Amino acid sequence: MLPAYEVEVGTEPLIRPARNSVGGWPFLDQPQDWPECFCGERMALFFQFDIPRDLEHFGGHHLLVFHCRAHNDASEPQFADGRLVPEYWDAPQPPYPAPFWRVLIQSHASLPAPEAEPSVCALPLTLRPFVDTPDEEGTGSQTFKVGGSPSWAQDPEEYTCACGADLVYVCQVPDGMDFAVHPGRPEQPYSVRADTYWLFLGNEVYLLACPDRCHPAAVWPANQH
């Protein structure tokens, strides 16, 4: 049994900054800028929240997940000597010259950005504690959660950071999770509807991060379906 928190998405639109949100005003360390994709488009903030303090490795830090609206694809790890390539958060993601996402774990994010995410609708997130009890195969509950045990849809994935530390599981986004967007915003390729965006083609996403925190973006988004 592992401590975990289910992440629930509210329905009442946010009208002011909140640290736990879908969309909204990102809370970023200074001087961290709002991430941009290699295509020149500013990445959309899909969600952010404070990781509860009782969770190992990253408790008390702030997690943010950005993804380019124009590039809706799956992640593919690149290796060197059995580890993820150096600076994998910026390394080429064939056929692209760089990743189309940015996952950040921030330590001193005290102030919100002056403007909100323009595409993804701002909604509150609530983190509710529960006990994630893995089954006989070690698979945890399949839900939007932080902590606990991942519910691998396929075989478990393990990665070693370029710094030498083994990545640890942080958060999971279930497959097919829709993120509502404002009317009139540009559509996302390969999405199911014009009024929603997906992360990584709607795959189940498992965020695995460097426990040594060698870099704020040292997080790998494993995709399965």
Side-chain angles (χ1 to χ4, degrees), residues 112-135:
E115 57 181 305
E117 157 59 38
S119 295
V120 178
C121 295
L123 296 170
L125 292 178
T126 301
L127 277 61
R128 300 193 184 281
F130 76 104
V131 177
D132 195 15
T133 305
D135 62 18

Side-chain angles (χ1 to χ4, degrees), residues 84-104:
L84 291 170
V85 296
E87 298 185 358
Y88 50 91
W89 48 89
D90 279 330
Q93 180 71 187
Y96 309 120
F100 46 89
W101 70 87
R102 177 72 91 201
V103 182
L104 295 168

